[in-house]
């Protein structure tokens, strides 16, 4: 759940940063940014069938202001990037 909050926080943090699009769709669909959205289309498949309740809860919480960091990026943690590790990802 905390990882989902972290990903949502990255999206909203980017929306507020002038280096990124100012809309959620703009951030999510920006080329080469979110692999599940632009490369393997996993995001579209989940939207089509409906996400699980934990995903919806995390999204509602982040939208209500429950952000967990000021990060702008995250990636799979392979040990090459420093940052805050949450699950299999590093946020920075």
């Amino acid at each position: 759940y905390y990882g989902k909050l972290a990903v949502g926080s990255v999206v909203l943090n980017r929306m507020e940063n002038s280096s990124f699009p100012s809309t959620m769709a703009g951030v999510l669909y920006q080329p080469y940014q979110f692999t599940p959205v632009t490369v393997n289309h996993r995001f579209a498949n989940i939207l089509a069938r409906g996400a699980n309740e934990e995903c919806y809860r995390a999204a509602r919480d982040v939208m209500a202001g429950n952000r967990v960091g000021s990060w702008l990026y995250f990636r799979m943690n392979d040990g090459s990037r420093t940052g805050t590790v949450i699950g299999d990802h590093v946020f920075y």
Side-chain angles (χ1 to χ4, degrees):
Y1 177 76
Y2 191 71
K4 290 175 174 73
L5 289 177
V7 171
S9 296
V10 166
V11 172
L12 293 186
N13 293 341
R14 285 184 178 198
M15 288 170 56
E16 294 175 353
N17 185 294
S18 63
S19 296
F20 297 94
S22 60
T23 66
M24 189 172 296
V27 167
L28 290 174
Y29 292 98
Q30 189 175 21
Y32 311 109
Q33 296 301 303
F34 294 97
T35 300
V37 175
T38 60
V39 177
N40 65 21
H41 307 290
R42 187 170 159 227
F43 185 69
N45 294 335
I46 291 170
L47 286 178
R49 75 168 187 260
N52 65 41
E53 182 52 37
E54 185 176 81
C55 292
Y56 285 118
R57 185 168 55 98
R60 285 190 301 267
D61 286 348
V62 168
M63 294 296 291
N66 188 15
R67 294 191 209 180
V68 295
S70 58
W71 314 292
L72 293 174
Y73 303 95
F74 69 96
R75 61 183 291 170
M76 291 296 294
N77 183 21
D78 63 4
S80 65
R81 172 60 89 166
T82 60
T84 302
V85 175
I86 302 171
D88 294 334
H89 295 88
V90 60
F91 291 80
Y92 54 99

